[in-house]
Amino acid sequence: MTPHRLDRVVARRVAVRAQLLDAHRPTDLRAVVDRLTFLQIDPTAAVAPNADLVAWTRLGAGYRPDDLVRALERERSLFEHRAMIRPMADLGLHRPEMSAWPTDARRRDWLAANAGFHRYVLDALRDAGPRLSRDIEDRSVVPWPSTGWTNNRNVTQMLEFLAARGEIAVAGRVGRQRVWDLAERVYPATAAVPADEARRLRAERLLRSLGVARPTVVGDAGEPAEIEGTTGRWRVDPAALDGTPFAGRTALLSPFDRLVHDRVRARELFDFDYRLEMYVPKARRRWGYFALPVLHHDRLVGKVDATVDRRASVLRVDAIHPDVPLTPELTAAVHGELAALASWSGLRDIRLPAGPA
């Protein structure tokens, strides 16, 4: 079919609205996760845990982290799998991938060599119920070899592998530690969607959450598009081109937010240059340890270097790095979002940098 021809303003607005970052805020956490298809889990909490920060950016002051805990642990409307929180309604779309895992010889061989350890973990959970990793004995025959942090972390690796296979699941958390149980006691009885259909549906859902994306990300989902000022092929969700007027707002984004997660796409659509710098030596950082991208209507306009100081009950803003001139309107909007973030975080004060920002 003839590709849709989009200018970059339209493409940006499609992307912003698809990620629920326009002025029409959602009100339900489960609907947010269903639309985004997942919330990424990351242990970094310089401002807030990523899943909570992404949810707050969409839902605003009405969102509380306990809402996510309740959906995961009591309602079971969401599930945690491989560092992602997903709608339980999508479980059948992930069953084929679980059944086929692992696809590489190294992991298959390690599991085969530790078949007895595999059986022991399942038996221990079946008999004793949900357990932390520290409660499970290391009965590996062959240790897990790695040049990284997972070297010889045999219990952790076995639990990760069995979760990837859908044999066990995260039943909850104690602090940051995962509580493991048999998958049959966490997941509802759900038939696997045939693998080809599951891939197609997942790609379609992913494109709906992004609005526009490269075929390398979403395959043949949606319809072809060309975007002004870019080269190569795009795919667009046709439902996003319904002519609905766009109304934007200002938002502070997590560095892991899917509006900016694809750094190449962020440059192509938004002229936005960004790098997560928490692994960069302090002297070489341009924007800060966990700088928050700033969305203003349909533009990414800068980064805010902020951290939460729980002991002092302060949101510390070390710098605001603008990518566009800081007009009084934009400055007020950014300061308003910082105040909202501090309030949501339960902090008493904000400390802004000296200067015009």
Side-chain angles (χ1 to χ4, degrees):
M1 64 179 298
T2 302
H4 297 274
R5 289 178 171 81
L6 311 177
D7 65 34
R8 287 206 298 169
V9 171
V10 170
R12 287 197 299 266
R13 292 178 175 182
V14 165
V16 169
R17 185 183 287 121
Q19 278 286 298
L20 305 177
L21 288 166
D22 62 337
H24 304 289
R25 283 185 182 271
T27 58
D28 180 74
L29 173 63
R30 284 174 294 177
V32 167
V33 182
D34 180 69
R35 176 57 176 261
L36 301 184
T37 76
F38 62 84
L39 299 176
Q40 180 178 343
I41 298 170
D42 187 88
T44 308
V47 174
N50 178 68
D52 291 322
L53 186 55
V54 170
W56 169 76
T57 301
R58 274 72 182 175
L59 294 162
Y63 170 72
R64 291 290 179 266
D66 282 348
D67 299 340
L68 186 57
V69 174
R70 182 173 61 252
L72 284 164
E73 299 183 15
R74 296 193 287 279
E75 297 171 354
R76 301 289 193 207
S77 57
L78 305 175
F79 71 100
E80 178 181 336
H81 181 66
R82 307 194 74 183
M84 302 291 181
I85 294 167
R86 299 184 182 276
M88 191 66 83
D90 282 358
L91 178 61
L93 301 181
H94 296 274
R95 284 292 196 187
E97 186 180 80
M98 293 178 183
S99 298
W101 200 94
T103 56
D104 64 292
R106 182 185 180 217
R107 290 176 174 81
R108 282 199 305 269
D109 292 347
W110 189 78
L111 279 172
N114 288 291
F117 185 23
H118 181 163
R119 289 192 297 272
Y120 155 70
V121 171
L122 296 180
D123 290 343
L125 293 176
R126 183 173 294 107
D127 296 341
R131 309 184 86 177
L132 298 168
S133 61
R134 69 188 182 206
D135 300 324
I136 296 175
E137 182 183 343
D138 183 357
R139 296 192 182 182
S140 59
V141 175
V142 177
W144 174 255
S146 171
T147 58
W149 74 275
T150 60
N151 186 58
N152 207 34
R153 295 176 65 92
N154 303 310
V155 172
T156 297
Q157 286 301 95
M158 182 58 77
L159 292 170
E160 294 281 4
F161 286 12
L162 299 188
R165 289 165 59 87
E167 296 183 50
I168 67 173
V170 178
R173 285 182 176 254
V174 177
R176 292 187 178 184
Q177 297 183 71
R178 290 169 293 183
V179 179
W180 301 94
D181 200 357
L182 297 178
E184 64 201 49
R185 295 201 288 237
V186 178
Y187 298 153
T190 304
V193 176
D196 288 345
E197 183 181 358
R199 280 191 291 271
R200 177 181 62 80
L201 291 173
R202 286 174 62 179
E204 289 176 356
R205 285 180 46 67
L206 181 59
L207 178 60
R208 181 170 179 257
S209 78
L210 295 172
V212 290
R214 294 291 191 178
T216 51
V217 176
V218 297
D220 293 329
E223 295 177 357
E226 297 173 354
I227 299 176
E228 169 199 31
T230 71
T231 59
R233 298 180 300 149
W234 293 85
R235 305 294 294 185
V236 64
D237 174 15
L241 303 176
D242 61 1
T244 301
F246 177 82
R249 60 183 173 93
T250 304
L252 302 176
L253 307 181
S254 164
F256 301 105
D257 197 291
R258 259 39 199 184
L259 189 70
V260 297
H261 185 264
D262 184 334
R263 311 303 189 206
V264 174
R265 176 177 177 264
R267 284 195 299 271
E268 290 176 313
L269 297 186
F270 294 89
D271 294 317
F272 187 67
D273 184 23
Y274 183 80
R275 180 185 183 191
L276 179 59
E277 296 180 318
M278 62 186 184
Y279 301 115
V280 175
K282 186 174 182 179
R284 292 169 50 195
R285 291 175 191 155
R286 298 164 62 191
W287 304 305
Y289 177 83
F290 198 73
L292 307 177
V294 181
L295 173 70
H296 184 65
H297 295 253
D298 62 2
R299 299 297 304 274
L300 290 163
V301 297
K303 301 95 177 167
V304 172
D305 181 10
T307 54
V308 166
D309 184 339
R310 290 286 176 192
R311 181 172 297 179
S313 192
V314 168
L315 177 64
R316 299 187 186 278
V317 182
D318 292 323
I320 297 175
H321 302 283
D323 288 11
V324 301
L326 280 176
T327 64
E329 175 199 8
L330 179 53
T331 299
V334 173
H335 286 187
E337 283 303 297
L338 287 168
L341 176 58
S343 175
W344 173 71
S345 301
L347 305 174
R348 292 194 301 267
D349 198 9
I350 305 174
R351 294 187 185 170
L352 292 168

